[in-house]
Amino acid sequence: MTIVMVLGLLLKYGPMSGYEIQQKMQSAKTDKWAYVQPASIYHALRKLDKDELVTLQSIEQTGNRSKAIYSITSKGKKEFHSMLISAFKKASVVFPTPLYTVLTFMDEAPVEEIVNSLTVQQQAIQSIYDEMLEGQRKKEEYSEVPKNVMFIFKNIYDQCELQLKFLEELKQDLLQEMDSKE
């Protein structure tokens, strides 16, 4: 998805450096939902340039540093459109496979430790939820958040809430099991 994000940002906002692309992504909290790492942006730009989907528009000198400014090409716009339509067709349900895997074997671990571990996971998910809320609030301070972006926020909140509910139900079941054994 890094390539889609890079092409999309260049199309939407115009020519930018890798650092500016990174800043746009960080302000949108894409590191939380698109899993785009800063180094992958530069790798994507090199690949996109090689594939003629972006072009090096200019190199700007800022003090001792230089920054490469890239823009999307017409070929890049066509490829981006194709990628968008293809991505809309793909199922995007994500299962918490590490959790499901350990649940399969949970009889092999002490219940109290499992409950404590589930609490840690709940705190981590709640932290993500709170961070996304804060990101939404910050976006709303500067401008109206587009409807499509609000759909992203809503889905993230729904996913977090669903997982928190699941973990709480699991913990309560384990605690009841502990109580019945005592």
Side-chain angles (χ1 to χ4, degrees):
M1 291 274 82
T2 302
I3 287 175
V4 173
M5 290 295 294
V6 169
L7 287 174
L9 288 170
L10 289 172
L11 182 63
K12 187 171 182 103
Y13 297 105
M16 287 189 280
S17 68
Y19 179 75
E20 290 166 325
I21 292 169
Q22 178 185 343
Q23 294 304 301
K24 288 274 187 203
M25 288 182 171
Q26 285 177 338
S27 73
K29 301 293 184 195
T30 57
D31 56 328
K32 295 292 182 206
W33 55 266
Y35 308 109
V36 175
Q37 299 302 313
S40 68
I41 295 167
Y42 299 98
H43 176 72
L45 284 168
R46 283 189 298 277
K47 180 181 180 349
L48 291 166
D49 187 37
K50 180 179 172 230
D51 295 343
E52 299 177 344
L53 301 176
V54 301
T55 187
L56 178 61
Q57 183 173 310
S58 64
I59 297 181
E60 294 180 0
Q61 201 65 33
T62 311
N64 292 335
R65 293 183 170 219
S66 60
K67 66 179 179 178
I69 306 296
Y70 291 91
S71 61
I72 190 168
T73 63
S74 58
K75 182 180 175 183
K77 290 175 186 177
K78 288 177 189 168
E79 182 63 21
F80 176 71
H81 179 319
S82 176
M83 292 169 137
L84 276 181
I85 298 308
S86 177
F88 272 116
K89 293 176 183 176
K90 291 181 184 174
S92 59
V93 174
V94 178
F95 296 108
T97 52
L99 178 62
Y100 290 174
T101 302
V102 296
L103 278 172
T104 304
F105 304 104
M106 69 184 233
D107 294 340
E108 304 303 320
V111 173
E112 187 175 321
E113 288 183 39
I114 294 172
V115 169
N116 291 339
S117 297
L118 293 173
T119 300
V120 169
Q121 187 177 156
Q122 283 176 303
Q123 291 167 345
I125 293 170
Q126 187 64 52
S127 177
I128 292 167
Y129 187 93
D130 295 342
E131 191 175 332
M132 294 306 295
L133 273 174
E134 182 59 28
Q136 179 185 344
R137 285 187 198 110
K138 284 182 181 176
K139 277 185 141 342
E140 290 170 339
E141 285 176 17
Y142 298 108
S143 65
E144 185 175 337
V145 180
K147 187 174 170 181
N148 56 322
V149 174
M150 290 306 295
F151 274 113
I152 295 168
F153 279 119
K154 182 183 179 326
N155 190 261
I156 289 170
Y157 302 144
D158 289 348
Q159 293 296 314
C160 287
E161 289 167 6
L162 183 64
Q163 194 64 8
L164 287 168
K165 180 179 182 254
F166 173 72
L167 293 170
E168 189 58 34
E169 288 173 359
L170 180 57
K171 273 178 42 179
Q172 292 307 315
D173 185 70
L174 289 169
L175 289 169
Q176 286 177 353
E177 186 180 306
M178 274 177 41
D179 289 344
S180 68
K181 287 182 181 179
E182 288 179 359

